[in-house]
Amino acid sequence: MASGGKVIYEQEGVFIHSSCGKNDDQDSLISGVLRVIEKENEVIVDWRPLADTLDASNILCAGKDSSSVVEWTQTPKEKCSRGADRPISYEAEWDMVTTVSFKKKPHSNGDATTHANGESKWSFLFSLTDLKSIKRNKEGMGWSYLVFCLKDDVKLPALHFHHGDSKLLIKCLEKHVVLNESPQDKRILLVNSQNKSLSQSFENLFDESSYGLLQVFLESKRRKNFRGKLKKDPYTVTMGRFSKVTNYIFDSFRLSDPSSQRRPPSEMADFLNDAIPGLKINQQEEPGFEVITRIDLGKQPEVSRREPVSAEEWAKNMDSEGRILNVDYIKQLIFKGGLCHTLRKEAWKFLLGYFPWNSTKEERASLQKRKTDEYFRMKLQWKSVSEEQEKRNSRLRDYRSLIEKDVNRTDRTNKFYEGEDNPGLILLHDILMTYCMYDFDLGYVQGMSDLLSPLLYVMENEVDAFWCFVSYMDQMHQNFEEQMQGMKTQLIQLSTLLRLLDSGFCSYLESQDSGYLYFCFRWLLIRFKREFSFQDILRLWEVMWTELPCQNFHLLLCCAILESEKQQIMDKHYGFNEILKHINELSMKIDVEYILCKAEAISMQMMNCKELPQAVSEILGIESSSVTPDSDTGEDESGAVLSCPTSLYQSVSTPVIAANGTRDSTQQMSETQSSTPA
């Protein structure tokens, strides 16, 4: 059964300690080889004694027959391969391997054979689909060993790893099955009973082919000791818990009738509530029921965008000492058109809060000097740690390991980071390591390199990029914390906004088990970094950093993207799997200017509504003394008013890009730049 497959793991020096030797008080050690083998549609765990230890004609193997009863069957003599098909190295640590489905192999029946001296000599093999749990030894208690328990509660003999490396086996198995610690006994790893055949598709939803946020769940499981008192990162928690859901929903990708696999919305809601505690998901009791009363928002206004802010416009808005004269006005210009690239290096420092808006050029130079000294003091902290010290500092060691992995696959197609020994990669690494010293509790979490990369690209300076990154992380910190409070809040808020905008679309998504919008998770987590081209992300981020025209504008960007895809999703009657696939394939295909126009139009549509629910007003930061409660339909005579004035951003003139994405050089907005300060 093992022959002909590909050996993906092999370890010698794996012993069975048999207690049926000549001296019952002393274990008899049977040395063998443990392999994990991919064969056809199955993954096999195979242990067999070394040839010089045992007569292969008396080897027994454990397998399941069609009745799921374990039979001990005698195997024919065969010389097992040393792994001619074995790959040069293990598959990439972050790659997801599709697991096997249940597939019964025929086994002949037989009785256990023993030698005349009473010593039982046998081997075993089993499919991963038959595995129920793995028991590990207590740390520090002799050789490490593992005990495999099959689904019929048959325990196989303990395998003792005299040469160590039992953790490598666990790593290998975790590429094929989900292993969770038992709440009753941390030594026991329980095998998730659901198939992982769609894990690769789920990974693609969150990532590029070579790099996945989802897989940190597996990584963290393999590095449990790293945590100690360190908080889990949100990817680990979220993706691990989401895997409970995807083990159900992704099975249907490989079946001819996906609808037969669909779980009812209430059951999916239960899984999501387990995945993210506190994430309240509305499930309709009957079609047409809505949490927020249907409100007519009116027609979306036409919105246009202007050209990027030029260096001349920027300079005109600065006095002789370098102060920005009219902060609100310059923010409006940036919101409506973004910045020309030559301005970004300076303007981003203001937008991110590194430079105070009211500071002079001299004050900013003094600030940079202080921040430079502070940065290099923190950098020296990790630079001065010797190899011997780092061996005793698992947290720093693991931070470094994660950073090195992520840096080597961050934006490598961008010329700023491409090629070997690229100085940009060295700076990425050093800034992220220094951030661990700045915020050691959070340290490094996968995804943070995505946020840093554009900042370093624009700043072209290690110190400035670091402090801009610190400011950006102040905004994004909750996304990366253990409790995932930021992600929970945003998903709930997004659901609330989308329901107000288009309750019919929300109802359709819920009918397809997609009402919880978790396919937007990556959008929110790293602010669309993987959804738009690199240059488009520079534009999108600087617009969002203006904090105009309202709070949580990024949620309206999500609404704009979803509303743009609504017709195709509903007209083609996409089910859960098709919606998931469709959203995933939007990456790098979204028109940033069109989506910015549409999101702004949605914001104006909501701000002009006189019956805006209280929850929506709070999400958008709209002030009103008489905003309607969520379930009210009473009128608000005064209307909702933004906490920040909107007249300015509505009065900036420009050559524009219309909401349909076309550029119209003749169209102007209602006012001109006559409000430009002298």
Side-chain angles (χ1 to χ4, degrees), residues 297 301 603-610 640 650:
L297 292 176
S603 73
M604 295 171 67
Q605 189 181 21
M606 291 187 175
M607 287 185 283
N608 292 333
C609 176
K610 294 185 177 182
Q650 292 173 346

Side-chain angles (χ1 to χ4, degrees), residues 583-618:
I583 295 297
N584 183 40
E585 290 176 350
L586 293 177
S587 179
M588 302 300 159
K589 299 176 183 177
I590 307 172
D591 185 329
V592 69
E593 296 292 344
Y594 171 78
I595 290 302
L596 282 169
C597 283
K598 192 166 186 64
E600 183 183 353
I602 292 172
S603 73
M604 295 171 67
Q605 189 181 21
M606 291 187 175
M607 287 185 283
N608 292 333
C609 176
K610 294 185 177 182
E611 299 177 350
L612 204 63
Q614 181 69 36
V616 175
S617 299
E618 291 174 357

Side-chain angles (χ1 to χ4, degrees), residues 420-440:
E420 297 299 322
D421 300 320
N422 187 300
L425 299 180
I426 297 171
L427 292 180
L428 270 180
H429 172 275
D430 287 2
I431 292 170
L432 292 170
M433 284 296 297
T434 305
Y435 186 81
C436 292
M437 301 296 105
Y438 176 84
D439 188 347
F440 205 78

